[in-house]
Amino acid sequence: MLGRDLVRAAELTNHEVTATTRAELDVTDRASVDRVVERARPDAVINCAAYTDVDGAEREPEAALRVNADGARNVAAAAVAAGASVLYVSTDYVFDGRKGGPYVESDEPNPLSSYGASKLAGEVDTSAVNPQHYIVRSSWLFGTAGRNFAATMLDLGERESQVVVVRDQVGSPTYTAHLAEGLVRLIDTGAFGLYHMAAGGQCSWYDFAVAIFEQAGVDCRVLSTTTEELGRPAPRPEYSALATQYADAIHLPDWTEGLDDYLAERR
Ligand SMILES: NC(=O)c1ccc[n+]([C@@H]2O[C@H](COP(=O)([O-])OP(=O)(O)OC[C@H]3O[C@@H](n4cnc5c(N)ncnc54)[C@H](OP(=O)(O)O)[C@@H]3O)[C@@H](O)[C@H]2O)c1
């Protein structure tokens, strides 16, 4: 989902882009990563490949680690060998959600889930292997190129008169096209490091669902539930909005603006 928007954002800013599918480049296959990166001779490698099934990772944590950590190490190492920087996209799920306020870069991660732990391992491995790294944590992604909460709500809204959504998880829903633009700008700065980059503002999944139906003009009632009642396999942080501690950080538009742009793009 993010990868497709990144290709578009990079091409729009006149970067020459080599984009690969999973069949062309499996990040868990070191030789295939080395081959593709060596041939492309890039200045920067952006790793958008990930095991993203948060509940699935509880059942098969090694599979998540293989892609999100071992794969990240392979990509970072191939970038080093090519003299390129690497950008690893990470997540708000590296935090436990107990801070009670937006998380900044210097806050201590403490993942609750196997997915969060695998992404934190990917951050650590990427930064250990390639000194020229950008680690960018974002959150609650939605975009037109993949499955996501907003698309699911709009599909449900066509068939159902009401949906039930959790109200006790708060975060910053981030539109992938906005994040992609931010990532390209970051790479152009050459300022390596760890950054938080998510949409402005925050809301619960419940608030997000209400806004999706309102802004899309869909008549579907949203009922609220709790994380405990829903009983999903993976624990999720209660509050994981991201903020940045850097005065000159790249800021993304508010999540409501992201939702507007997403709905316009779908139309
Ligand atoms: N979605 C979110 O809410 C969210 C929030 C914060 C951060 N992130 C992070 O943002 C990044 C992009 O997420 P996304 O939502 O765009 O994810 P996505 O749509 O699930 O894309 C991940 C891609 O990685 C591919 N992939 C999986 N295993 C691979 C492998 N071994 N080698 C090569 N490619 C492989 C997947 O292919 P298949 O489809 O064939 O599996 C898929 O195309 C990820 O790092 C994710 O952890 C996501």
Side-chain angles (χ1 to χ4, degrees):
M1 179 165 68
L2 176 63
R4 290 208 194 179
D5 282 344
L6 255 169
V7 170
R8 190 169 50 178
E11 284 177 346
L12 278 172
T13 44
N14 296 321
H15 290 275
E16 194 185 315
V17 181
T18 302
T20 63
T21 63
R22 183 181 185 159
E24 292 159 343
L25 187 160
D26 182 333
V27 293
T28 63
D29 175 358
R30 175 74 200 262
S32 115
V33 181
D34 283 347
R35 204 168 41 244
V36 173
V37 172
E38 202 184 315
R39 204 179 307 137
R41 305 173 64 85
D43 297 316
V45 179
I46 305 181
N47 181 4
C48 289
Y51 181 110
T52 53
D53 178 355
V54 177
D55 290 320
E58 292 302 303
R59 284 191 304 275
E60 42 172 22
E62 359 27 72
L65 274 171
R66 236 182 347 263
V67 180
N68 294 345
D70 301 348
R73 202 163 46 238
N74 290 341
V75 175
V80 169
S85 62
V86 67
L87 188 153
Y88 180 76
V89 185
S90 192
T91 169
D92 54 324
Y93 283 13
V94 299
F95 294 113
D96 62 20
R98 298 185 191 119
K99 183 182 174 186
Y103 284 94
V104 295
E105 290 85 349
S106 57
D107 285 323
E108 202 57 47
N110 180 32
L112 301 174
S113 62
S114 298
Y115 168 74
S118 72
K119 293 297 293 183
L120 182 59
E123 292 185 5
V124 171
D125 286 357
T126 300
S127 50
V129 168
N130 190 337
Q132 297 188 70
H133 61 262
Y134 309 88
I135 310 287
V136 182
R137 295 185 185 134
S138 194
S139 79
W140 295 21
L141 299 187
F142 64 101
T144 54
R147 295 299 313 160
N148 61 81
F149 179 84
T152 302
M153 286 301 119
L154 291 167
D155 288 349
L156 284 173
E158 277 181 17
R159 300 195 303 272
E160 313 285 344
S161 57
Q162 57 183 42
V163 294
V164 184
V165 180
V166 287
R167 197 171 207 156
D168 56 357
Q169 289 170 35
V170 171
S172 308
T174 303
Y175 179 43
T176 46
H178 289 168
L179 175 60
E181 279 174 33
L183 295 180
V184 173
R185 278 178 60 198
L186 178 63
I187 283 200
D188 287 342
T189 65
F192 304 121
L194 166 68
Y195 299 97
H196 288 183
M197 198 185 285
Q202 51 187 264
C203 65
S204 69
W205 289 113
Y206 170 86
D207 301 327
F208 191 30
V210 169
I212 289 165
F213 292 135
E214 250 172 43
Q215 284 178 232
V218 174
D219 186 17
C220 184
R221 194 155 160 242
V222 186
L223 306 176
S224 70
T225 187
T226 62
T227 305
E228 199 185 346
E229 269 169 13
L230 201 65
R232 298 282 288 273
R236 288 158 166 82
E238 200 173 303
Y239 184 97
S240 60
L242 298 176
T244 178
Q245 66 202 35
Y246 301 116
D248 57 351
I250 294 165
H251 289 280
L252 303 187
D254 211 73
W255 68 267
T256 50
E257 206 178 307
L259 178 55
D260 271 341
D261 289 356
Y262 166 75
L263 292 172
E265 196 186 343
R266 271 177 68 102
R267 280 194 292 271

